Every structure is written in structure tokens, then in C-alpha cells.
Amino acid sequence: MSVSLKTSYSELENNGIGFWGIFSFFGLLLIGGVAAFNYMHHHGHYVTGMNNQIVWGIPHVFAIFLIVAASGAANIATIGTVFNKQTYQPLGRLSLLLAASLLIGGLLVLLLDLGSIGHVIEMAKGALNFQSIFAWNMILYSGFVTIIIVYLWTMMDRTKTAKSFYKPLGKINFIWRFILTMGTGSIFGVLLARQYYDVFVMGPLFIAASYMLGTAIYSLLLVTTFKLSQRDLGDVIIKRLRYSLPLFIVAVLVFELVRHLINIFVTEHHGIEPHILTSNSFSKLFWFGQILIGSVLPLFLLWSGYFKNNTVALVSSSILIIVGAFIQLYVIIIGGQSYPLVLFQNADISSSFADGVFNTYSGTLPEYLLGLGGIGLTFCMVLIGIKIFRMLPTSLAD
Amino acid sequence: MIRRFIILSLMLVSLLGLNACDSEPPVLMKASQQFETVEKRDQHIAYMRTNHMDALKHKRDETMYNGIRTEEHSIVGCINCHVPESFNGKVLRHTDQEHFCTTCHTYVAAKLDCFECHVDHPMKTVVVNNSSSIDVKLKNINKLNHEELLALAFRYSKNKDISSDNTNHILGEEPESGGVSLENNIKTSLDNPIKKEAINE
Amino acid sequence: MNNFDSYRRKFLTIVAGTAGAVATLNVAPNLLLREAQAKPADEAITDAKRWGLLIDVNKLEDGGDACIEACKKEHGWGDDPKSNQAQDAQWVRKVKVTEKSTGNSFSLPVMCQHCETAPCVDVCPTGASMKRADGIVQVNKHICIGCRYCMMACPYKARSFVHETLIDQRPNSPRGKGTVESCNLCAQRVDAGKNPACVDAAPQAIVFGDLNDPKSAISQALTQNETTQIRADLNLNTGVRYQGI
């Protein structure tokens, strides 16, 4: 018998200025995002910092951040369902709600940045190239949302039919997430032209990053909502979340190490490593942002006895991890594009089209607004979800 | 009882919406080139009313994937007939209400996507390069200059009776089958005899 | 049509026909073997031909400047007023290469290489980035959603994105905001039996023709001379080959 039958869930009762204030904040972000889209779409992408050298910019960093997080956020539910950890089972509904919201928010940013969004209707009418990993990702993302909806139904509906699908859906979700995140990483991994991307390990790296980021965001959300709705959050769960995060951080570090080592040892990719690791522009972001703030510091806060209070440790590390993951994606996406394409080995090249030079990029306001709009949509959906549906357990005391 | 009455009155009120169904379509700008006979014109209008979208979508695929570039497959052909070169002294674009395509599209509030990429008015380009014939949009043979006459003569040197053409423009972007390249080369070689080996490939 | 016009027409036809006959006799052999015959406008292209370019860098004194100007004139790119320099579209560009060890340098025009196994075609989610049966790689802008993934994938940076609203495009070269574009080997001209614009701008240095035909000038030049592809290590089997780099 699963714990979910014994746990009672209830809608969020908060109705005061606190809830509506927070909701309005994310609502405003969403409106800002839509306005930014309108502006970018009407004028064209010349209003952005993206150009023919850096073709993917801040909106894509936000979008991939949200999508990678979505995949990992659903992991909490998986641990409960597939791995039968009873402590995690009450957390499942919120986990799935968060995952779906993150994914939809990320997809929105990705879609709204498209140059010719009207032609997406052609895609819906059948123009899909199945040799493209991008097209497969579109299918995987839509499938993920569908699976989550069905999975949520099996959790929330008390009939026998629903419960009979609970375990199978859990397993399907688990496998689908692997394929999805592998696919997201492979968007970069298949680009043989770019030195920073053309390695197989991009897929596994993104899988590890999704676990790390998804758990961090989930933890933050759980603690915040329970605190603001005055529900009990027992130490057992906090401890579990606190000690699962370091494992994921270490996994990410391992895959990053593997990736950089591959690049250093493969002669073809020699040029990119000094650029990322030692040049000023991206190395600062990499070492201070991703490694120090995003990995080492959280590891220290989580593992050492420095923070006796589990909640404080969890919250602070989660925030640091989120910042670090954002910077990691920035370095991957923008840093990878900043390196010039090598047309001729052992030669310096120059042209009127920025050959042979390191490309620079600075995001403009519309791009940031668009990215934040995705975050706005995500949390608007989460807030509506926990308000209308019984997503949050009434109490998670030990 | 009251509920039924309310529903019925709402349905009756909604009939007022029929006002919006205008049986008269908006008046379209007259094409700058007309068919010879009214019969041909009516045929064309009837065909277009049914097949407007098919013509646009299906034929564009044939052009893109199969390289089929007949007059009927070319949006330039449509534009050259339906949009005048100048209107009240300036160029008529799809952002102006009188533009042939814009009239209906504004009426049905469907955004025009074509003119993001395709030019929305005839561009009279007289381009003479080494291996090309002269590409000129013409209305009337009387306006031809010497070079254009020559090119015209080559194109129709196979005893084609031009008077049977039901379109007035003589030379378009799309070449006839087969003969153009040979004629091009003849013309080019007449102008540039020393470059003959360069134009072979 | 009045009588004078038809008389004028018939007269000119006779004159032109005679002149044509004389000219043909003078230059007949090469012309009659001209291979880029215009296909009929209503006939579909087939994979019987594979179009290719051979650029002899040594014979290009200006490194391709004339070609670039011809391409600009043909397709109408090069003047995007609102885009900054990094956002301007460039279908073909002159790349100056300086070897690090010897200090030798040369310049060459680089455009879409029309690869046989084009990475851009592989990655396009809608199939807008496509390869025609005759080997020309182009963007079907009707279904291009503007995701720029093909730009990430191209090893030659051949693709450009249009960052602003365009007007007065060339009738035979549609290009528009929010879609990706690149050299399409002047597909419209090729279908009409003409050479690409760059070939005509530098006929002494660039050969255009059918790679599948062993008797074509380009195939013969490829067998007789030492030619290479840019980034041959990627095994893309490009349709654009270079001589002298």
C-alpha cells in the first residue's frame, strides 16, 4: 500500500495579498515576455544582440535552463513511484506539476524566439524532418507533457483503474525523461562543426545537470510553499533532499571533467579549451560561476557540518546551484558559439563575415524579458495548480 | 420557462450577426493586364476563387522541390498582372489598402505572409549579363528597343504566332522550353566573341 | 495587332534567324555541346545531374570581389539598413587565409558548399533546409520557422538570418525577415539554363557544370587538376571545389 493513499492533500488556502502579490509578480513577468515577443517579432531580430555569429542567445539559455530543469523536477516523483521510496511519494504531485510548468515555460520561450513563428503551423501539418534531433525533441517535449498529465491522473484519481496505471506510468516517465534530456544534450552533441559541442558526452552531461537543477528548484519551491502556507515540513524530507543534491553535483562535475578532457586530448578540438578555460571572457564565468558558486560552494554547504539546520543548507545551496546552472548553460551556449569556425587548419583567417575572430555577444532587454517571461509562465502555472488542485500534502511532518 | 425564453432570444439576437455576412465581396483593383476575352477572364476568376490556396501552396512546393517554374507556378506572374507598376505616382505595396491582395486579406483579417519574402509589386529589372537573355517585363511590343527586339526575335524564331498569346507580356522570367540557351549564346557570342569558351559551362 | 507590327516582327525574325545561323556556324562546336541546357519550365529536375562549382583561386585576381558584387546584384542582399554589421546577411564572402608556418596567404570566395551530406539539411526540424535532386542545397523559406539551427550546424558559416523587414526584393530571389538564407547556386538561373551570377562575373576562374557527367568541363577539370574541398576532413562531399588552396 502506497503512502499516497494515507497522505491527505489540500489546495492552497492563502488568499491574501501575499499570494496575489506573488502571482501578480510572475504574471507581470509573463506579460513582459509576451510584449517582448511582440516587439521582436514585429521589428525583426535586429533588436536583439543575436547575429549571424552568435545565433542563439539569452532566450535560448533561459529556454534550455527551464527544459533541463523540467526533466529533473519530475525525478522526485520517479523516486517515489519507480524506486518505491515511501518518503518521496507524497511529493510526487508537486514534482509533476513543477515539471510540466517548467517545460511549458521553456517551450514558450523557444517558440516565441523563432523568426517565423507562423510557419510552425506548417510543422503541425506535417513538415517534420525526422532526421533532425530538434524535431525529435519537439515530439519528446510534447510527449512528456502528455505523460505527466496521465501520470498525475493516476496519482490523483482514487479509482482502481487509475491506480493500476500508476507504476507503469512512473516507469514510462522515467525512461522518457532519460531520452528527452539525452535529446536536449544531443542538440549540441550532433553539431560536428563546432568544437565545443561535437562530443557524445553532451547527452549524459545534460542528464546529470537536469537531476541537479530539477531537484534544486523543487526543493526551493517545496520549502517556500510550505513556509508561506504554514504547513509542516519535517526534517526527514529535507534531509533526503539535502543529501541527494551533492550526488547530482558530483555527477555533473564528473561529466564536465570528461568533456573537457576529451576536448583537450582530441587534437581537433584543441583551440576551444584555452578559450573557455583560460581566456578572460568565459573562463571567469566558468571557474567562478559554474565551478565555485554552482558546484564547490553548494557541496561544502550541503556536506560539511557547517549548516546544522538542514533547511537553511538546502535553500542556500539550491539558490547557488540554480545560479551556477544558468551560468553553465550560458558558457555552453554562448561560449561555444563565440569560438570561430575553423575553415583551414594551421592558418589565420579573416573576412567581412567575422571569420577567425572571437565573437562577442551582449543580450538586449527584449531577450531578457522574453526569457523571464518563460519563468513567469512557469510559476503562474504552478501557483494556479496548487491553488485549484490538491497538489500539496497537508503536512509532511515526520 | 424563463431559461428557454432567454436562450431563444439570444439565438434570435445572434441572427443580427448575419449582417456581417456580406454577399458582396470587396471590390478588387483592376488588373494592369487584361485577358483578351471576357470568357477567359471569367474562367480565370472562377479557377482562382476555388484554387487560390492550392495554387499558392501546392505549386510553390512544385517549384521548390522540383524546379518547375512555369508562368502559372510563379508568384511573379500573378504580381505582374495584378499589381500596377505605379499607383498615383508611387509604388503600390501590400501595406496600402488598394493593393490587389490586401483588399481581400484585410476584409477577412488573414495576415499576408507571402510578401515577407516575395516582392509585392512588379520590379522592372533590365539586367544584361553575360549568359542571360534580357529579362524585361513588357506590356507592348512598341516599347521595345533594339536589343529587346532582337531577343524577342530569337525567342520567336520558330514561327510562333504571337498574336495568339492571350497575355500581353511578351517576355517573362520563365524561358520557353529548350531554345533559350542556344539563343542566349548566339546573342552573347555576337556581343562578346572572345568570351565564347567561358560561357560553355 | 496592326499590320505594321506583324510585318516588323516577321522581318526581324528573318533577319535574326539568318544572323543566328551565321553565328552558330562560327561558334557551333562549343555551343552545341553547351551542357547547362535550360530544362523546360514545366519539367521536374532529376538527380541525373549534380551541379558543382570549381573555383581556381589562382586565377581570381581580386579574390572573389567581382563574384560577391555579382551575387549582391542578383539577389539583393548586402543592404540591411537596420541590422548591425554582425547581423548583415552575407551569402558569399572573401576569406583571407594566412598560413601560420609559411606566412603564405591567399584569398578565396566562400559560400554555401552544397554538400552531398549537408549537416544543415540533417538538423532542420521542418525540412526547410533541403537538398534538391540536382544537388543544390537551399532553404524553403515557406516552411522555415527561423530557429537558426542550420546556422549552428554549418561548418562553413554559409547561412545568414534576416534580422529585419525587407522590401523591394529581387523578383527571382525572394528573401524575408525571420528566415534563413544562403547561396542557392542561383537555382532560378540554373533552371533557366544560365550560369550562376558569380560564374559569369569571373568566368576565367570559376567553372560550373554537372559533376555526374564525366565529359563535362568541370568533371574533366577535377580529374586533371589537383582540387580540394574546404574541411575535406568532415567528409561532406561538397559540390563546391577549389583549386590552388
Side-chain angles (χ1 to χ4, degrees):
Chain A
M1 187 130 94
S2 72
V3 172
S4 55
L5 285 177
K6 288 200 219 123
T7 326
S8 79
Y9 300 86
S10 58
E11 303 95 327
L12 201 70
E13 280 106 34
N14 300 43
N15 240 324
I17 187 106
F19 177 79
W20 291 112
I22 295 178
F23 186 78
S24 313
F25 170 69
F26 287 114
L28 278 173
L29 283 185
L30 175 60
I31 293 174
V34 174
F37 157 68
N38 222 14
Y39 182 67
M40 273 167 62
H41 189 249
H42 176 73
H43 291 274
H45 275 62
Y46 80 90
V47 300
T48 71
M50 296 184 269
N51 48 44
N52 288 324
Q53 278 67 247
I54 307 273
V55 301
W56 283 356
I58 282 288
H60 298 84
V61 177
F62 272 93
I64 297 185
F65 175 84
L66 289 169
I67 291 172
V68 163
S71 164
N75 186 47
I76 310 286
T78 306
I79 302 179
T81 318
V82 177
F83 297 105
N84 283 320
K85 298 279 191 256
Q86 303 238 320
T87 343
Y88 281 90
Q89 283 180 356
L91 308 177
R93 296 187 193 187
L94 184 63
S95 149
L96 293 180
L97 173 67
L98 180 63
S101 308
L102 283 168
L103 192 82
I104 294 175
L107 270 184
L108 181 82
V109 178
L110 211 55
L111 271 178
L112 293 187
D113 163 78
L114 291 177
S116 259
I117 190 172
H119 294 172
V120 171
I121 300 181
E122 301 270 356
M123 257 177 110
K125 285 201 280 181
L128 210 61
N129 173 21
F130 289 105
Q131 277 201 315
S132 161
I133 191 79
F134 203 103
W136 277 109
N137 271 285
M138 295 293 166
I139 299 172
L140 286 168
Y141 298 155
S142 343
F144 187 53
V145 176
T146 321
I147 289 176
I148 286 187
I149 292 174
V150 181
Y151 191 8
L152 259 180
W153 164 70
T154 66
M155 281 187 177
M156 295 175 75
D157 190 347
R158 276 174 279 190
T159 60
K160 255 214 168 86
T161 342
K163 291 308 171 199
S164 68
F165 282 113
Y166 176 62
K167 278 267 160 83
L169 254 306
K171 292 191 183 122
I172 294 175
N173 176 41
F174 183 48
I175 298 170
W176 197 271
R177 279 194 302 118
F178 254 109
I179 303 175
L180 184 149
T181 329
M182 189 79 160
T184 310
S186 301
I187 287 181
F188 299 98
V190 298
L191 298 178
L192 44 68
R194 307 258 173 187
Q195 287 192 1
Y196 206 47
Y197 299 148
D198 172 33
V199 267
F200 170 71
V201 80
M202 291 303 284
L205 172 66
F206 271 57
I207 293 178
S210 79
Y211 279 90
M212 177 182 82
L213 186 57
T215 315
I217 295 183
Y218 181 82
S219 310
L220 212 52
L221 182 71
L222 186 70
V223 170
T224 320
T225 47
F226 268 61
K227 195 147 199 152
L228 291 176
S229 63
Q230 279 120 18
R231 297 177 193 221
D232 287 320
L233 194 50
D235 214 35
V236 171
I237 296 202
I238 303 268
K239 226 180 189 175
R240 292 259 182 156
L241 289 171
R242 176 187 175 165
Y243 289 115
S244 66
L245 271 176
L247 296 168
F248 301 139
I249 300 178
V250 168
V252 172
L253 284 175
V254 164
F255 281 117
E256 277 283 17
L257 183 67
V258 168
R259 177 165 73 115
H260 286 277
L261 281 178
I262 290 179
N263 269 347
I264 291 174
F265 282 116
V266 170
T267 322
E268 261 180 6
H269 291 185
H270 259 171
I272 188 71
E273 288 305 314
H275 176 61
I276 297 285
L277 296 182
T278 62
S279 80
N280 258 337
S281 41
F282 292 100
S283 53
K284 268 194 239 165
L285 282 171
F286 179 76
W287 291 114
F288 283 116
Q290 182 185 342
I291 302 297
L292 190 65
I293 297 179
S295 310
V296 171
L297 208 50
L299 274 177
F300 173 71
L301 292 174
L302 290 165
W303 259 339
S304 75
Y306 189 76
F307 275 138
K308 298 260 174 30
N309 185 327
N310 284 322
T311 317
V312 174
L314 185 62
V315 168
S316 52
S317 325
S318 296
I319 296 176
L320 292 173
I321 288 172
I322 290 170
V323 171
F326 192 86
I327 293 177
Q328 174 182 20
L329 283 172
Y330 186 90
V331 171
I332 290 177
I333 295 176
I334 314 283
Q337 293 176 82
S338 71
Y339 194 74
L341 288 166
V342 175
L343 289 180
F344 295 94
Q345 307 273 9
N346 299 317
D348 288 322
I349 58 176
S350 68
S351 76
S352 56
F353 203 38
D355 281 296
V357 294
F358 293 120
N359 304 307
T360 53
Y361 167 79
S362 64
T364 56
L365 182 65
E367 298 173 72
Y368 281 102
L369 282 180
L370 184 61
L372 289 170
I375 293 185
L377 177 65
T378 297
F379 288 105
C380 279
M381 288 178 69
V382 169
L383 286 171
I384 294 176
I386 58 181
K387 185 120 180 69
I388 324 181
F389 295 109
R390 297 187 187 164
M391 296 283 178
L392 294 179
T394 320
S395 162
L396 283 173
D398 297 329
Chain B
M1 193 61 213
I2 295 281
R3 238 172 89 196
R4 281 193 200 162
F5 175 73
I6 292 176
I7 290 172
L8 186 61
S9 38
L10 278 175
M11 285 169 74
L12 283 172
V13 165
S14 72
L15 285 175
L16 286 173
L18 283 176
N19 249 346
C21 304
D22 199 337
S23 56
E24 283 300 317
V27 176
L28 292 166
M29 170 183 252
K30 204 162 145 87
S32 50
Q33 291 169 25
Q34 296 292 316
F35 282 101
E36 256 189 9
T37 63
V38 178
E39 194 187 57
K40 286 190 175 151
R41 175 177 168 269
D42 288 341
Q43 234 175 22
H44 177 67
I45 292 179
Y47 173 79
M48 275 303 163
R49 278 200 178 140
T50 334
N51 300 319
H52 168 221
M53 279 323 283
D54 168 73
L56 288 177
K57 295 222 164 148
H58 182 59
K59 291 192 167 125
R60 81 176 187 202
D61 286 345
E62 299 216 338
T63 305
M64 289 306 303
Y65 295 104
N66 298 325
I68 296 178
R69 296 182 193 275
T70 66
E71 192 71 42
E72 292 88 43
H73 282 78
S74 162
I75 199 174
V76 175
C78 311
I79 297 291
N80 287 340
C81 260
H82 282 290
V83 182
E85 280 180 21
S86 74
F87 184 72
N88 291 344
K90 55 178 181 66
V91 168
L92 189 63
R93 299 178 193 279
H94 73 279
T95 39
D96 303 316
Q97 275 310 308
E98 298 88 4
H99 190 275
F100 181 81
C101 310
T102 312
T103 319
C104 277
H105 273 264
T106 314
Y107 184 73
V108 300
K111 183 169 180 219
L112 272 170
D113 186 50
C114 322
F115 302 123
E116 297 287 316
C117 289
H118 288 283
V119 65
D120 48 16
H121 56 275
M123 293 271 274
K124 195 167 183 177
T125 48
V126 181
V127 178
V128 185
N129 12 23
N130 288 344
S131 77
S132 73
S133 62
I134 299 182
D135 302 317
V136 162
K137 303 285 167 283
L138 300 173
K139 286 199 195 90
N140 193 320
I141 195 172
N142 288 327
K143 295 198 186 131
L144 294 172
N145 63 32
H146 162 69
E147 274 181 317
E148 294 157 354
L149 264 179
L150 216 55
L152 170 65
F154 290 150
R155 185 185 274 257
Y156 287 91
S157 61
K158 295 182 178 66
N159 294 322
K160 183 168 167 141
D161 184 6
I162 314 171
S163 60
S164 67
D165 270 353
N166 55 14
T167 54
N168 274 353
H169 59 259
I170 310 296
L171 285 177
E173 282 278 313
E174 295 74 33
E176 280 192 347
S177 49
V180 175
S181 54
L182 195 57
E183 286 145 5
N184 289 347
N185 289 312
I186 295 170
K187 186 195 172 318
T188 318
S189 64
L190 285 176
D191 285 346
N192 309 297
I194 50 172
K195 284 199 179 173
K196 64 173 190 281
E197 71 267 21
I199 60 173
N200 281 342
E201 305 314 326
Chain C
M1 314 270 169
N2 59 43
N3 276 337
F4 179 68
D5 278 322
S6 29
Y7 169 69
R8 192 177 180 225
R9 210 167 277 127
K10 281 187 196 136
F11 173 70
L12 279 171
T13 310
I14 295 169
V15 167
T18 323
V22 170
T24 319
L25 285 172
N26 279 332
V27 296
N30 290 336
L31 283 174
L32 291 175
L33 287 175
R34 185 180 194 283
E35 56 190 82
Q37 292 286 351
K39 64 160 184 67
D42 56 351
E43 190 182 280
I45 51 172
T46 62
D47 58 359
K49 293 193 202 274
R50 187 190 167 199
W51 298 119
L53 277 184
L54 175 60
I55 302 176
D56 188 345
V57 174
N58 295 324
K59 294 195 184 146
L60 271 179
E61 293 111 29
D62 58 1
D65 281 331
C67 304
I68 297 173
E69 286 310 308
C71 183
K72 278 188 190 175
K73 204 161 156 209
E74 174 73 19
H75 296 284
W77 59 270
D79 175 33
D80 300 330
K82 296 201 182 117
S83 307
N84 63 39
Q85 223 240 333
Q87 293 167 334
D88 267 335
Q90 276 224 278
W91 291 29
V92 54
R93 65 203 191 265
K94 181 169 93 169
V95 176
K96 176 154 183 237
V97 185
T98 314
E99 280 174 47
K100 285 192 200 162
S101 45
T102 61
N104 280 343
S105 88
F106 56 89
S107 293
L108 73 163
V110 175
M111 69 292 276
C112 167
Q113 304 286 291
H114 298 281
C115 314
E116 187 172 16
T117 51
C120 65
V121 173
D122 245 354
V123 300
C124 175
T126 57
S129 176
M130 55 174 279
K131 188 176 72 146
R132 293 195 339 174
D134 59 1
I136 293 182
V137 174
Q138 61 180 3
V139 178
N140 182 355
K141 292 161 203 186
H142 304 113
I143 57 179
C144 173
I145 57 176
C147 73
R148 290 101 74 200
Y149 195 27
C150 60
M151 294 172 72
M152 290 282 264
C154 178
Y156 306 100
K157 208 164 60 160
R159 289 261 162 105
S160 301
F161 182 61
V162 180
H163 290 78
E164 60 183 271
T165 311
L166 301 176
I167 54 168
D168 292 344
Q169 296 92 329
R170 297 274 185 280
N172 61 345
S173 191
R175 47 189 297 256
K177 174 180 73 172
T179 56
V180 175
E181 54 183 13
S182 67
C183 157
N184 59 356
L185 261 192
C186 287
Q188 292 232 11
R189 289 170 63 117
V190 169
D191 286 343
K194 308 174 201 164
N195 288 331
C198 55
V199 176
D200 284 338
Q204 78 286 3
I206 311 186
V207 182
F208 169 77
D210 180 7
L211 293 169
N212 280 347
D213 178 5
K215 290 205 267 337
S216 69
I218 189 174
S219 300
Q220 286 175 351
L222 286 173
T223 39
Q224 286 158 12
N225 300 309
E226 212 179 288
T227 63
T228 173
Q229 312 171 40
I230 307 180
R231 290 303 303 267
D233 60 304
L234 292 174
N235 283 327
L236 297 170
N237 193 6
T238 60
V240 176
R241 304 292 176 98
Y242 291 84
Q243 195 176 333
I245 60 170

